[in-house]
Amino acid sequence: METLIVPGTLDSLGAIGQYVTRATSAAGLDKKAAYKLRLAVDEIATNIITHGYQEAGLEGKLYLYAAIDESILTIFLEDTGIIYNPKQQILPQKEELQKVLDERSMGGLGIYLALGGVDEFHYERVGNRNRNIFVMHRIMV
Amino acid sequence: MEITIKNLKDIKVVKLVGDVDASTAPSVQQQLVPLAELNSKILLDMTQVPYMSSAGLRMLLTLYRQTSAKDGKLVLVGLSEDLQDTMSVTGFLDFFTTGTTLEEGLAVLN
């Protein structure tokens, strides 16, 4: 698919969601897998925009690219913000997720949903870019 | 995101239409939190919310805390299977009173 380039602001989340939905339709993913991939990309994009750009006082764009081959759909999400590896963030543990809501901290919940919703997730730093790679299997194995 | 708020006797019925993500959740929260007054009954109709990210969970958590703090009641209705999945894996679902339809939600609050 064509690359989607959008400003690194929260207003871009709608366009990102639409792009991922087009990719999951083209790849023929089932409804549940399609939703989880959209959620994963949206959560990571939100973190890049808020932590990688806004809180760091930086501006930049988000670059999305979808690749479909016979067995997998891969979404590449790149940005030029500060080095930000979702896999190195602290995720909520089971005890935290079982706590009553009054005692919850919300930290890491988005990344927890993102990493738990895709078949594979990879992160690379390439030059001045962060590259997040989301993989969904097209055929049940 | 469209938000409509109606009063049905003592119940505040809030209908959300659209996606709840990090770009829309803050405005939803801003409009809903003031509804949590002493003993207020709030019904949140999410039948037409096809998508909700963790930003929506954060909004729900704030609303939940505000209503509990004021001895109010909060009921969510019309959660899609996808939204229920998100709330379930994060341990949110069990803490909320939910219903399938608006009528069911109203019955719980009445």
Side-chain angles (χ1 to χ4, degrees), chain B residues 48-101:
Chain B
Q48 292 186 60
V49 177
Y51 176 80
M52 184 177 75
S53 71
S54 63
L57 294 177
R58 204 165 284 126
M59 178 275 289
L60 287 178
L61 180 65
T62 305
L63 188 60
Y64 172 91
R65 284 179 175 161
Q66 289 293 325
T67 15
S68 318
K70 308 243 166 113
D71 293 320
K73 282 183 185 163
L74 171 67
V75 174
L76 311 181
V77 300
L79 293 167
S80 71
E81 206 181 310
D82 290 321
L83 264 61
Q84 289 186 44
D85 279 353
T86 301
M87 291 181 68
S88 170
V89 297
T90 49
F92 268 61
L93 196 57
D94 291 345
F95 294 104
F96 284 89
T97 307
T98 59
T100 313
T101 59

Side-chain angles (χ1 to χ4, degrees), chain B residues 5-58:
Chain B
I5 303 167
K6 282 183 193 161
N7 291 308
L8 269 178
K9 285 186 255 168
D10 61 338
I11 302 172
K12 292 163 184 168
V13 180
V14 182
K15 186 175 180 178
L16 302 183
V17 179
D19 293 339
V20 183
D21 61 20
S23 70
T24 57
S27 72
V28 177
Q29 184 166 318
Q30 209 176 3
Q31 293 190 57
L32 298 201
V33 167
L35 298 180
E37 295 166 331
L38 195 64
N39 298 321
S40 57
K41 298 175 177 179
I42 302 173
L43 189 152
L44 190 53
D45 182 359
M46 300 183 73
T47 312
Q48 292 186 60
V49 177
Y51 176 80
M52 184 177 75
S53 71
S54 63
L57 294 177
R58 204 165 284 126

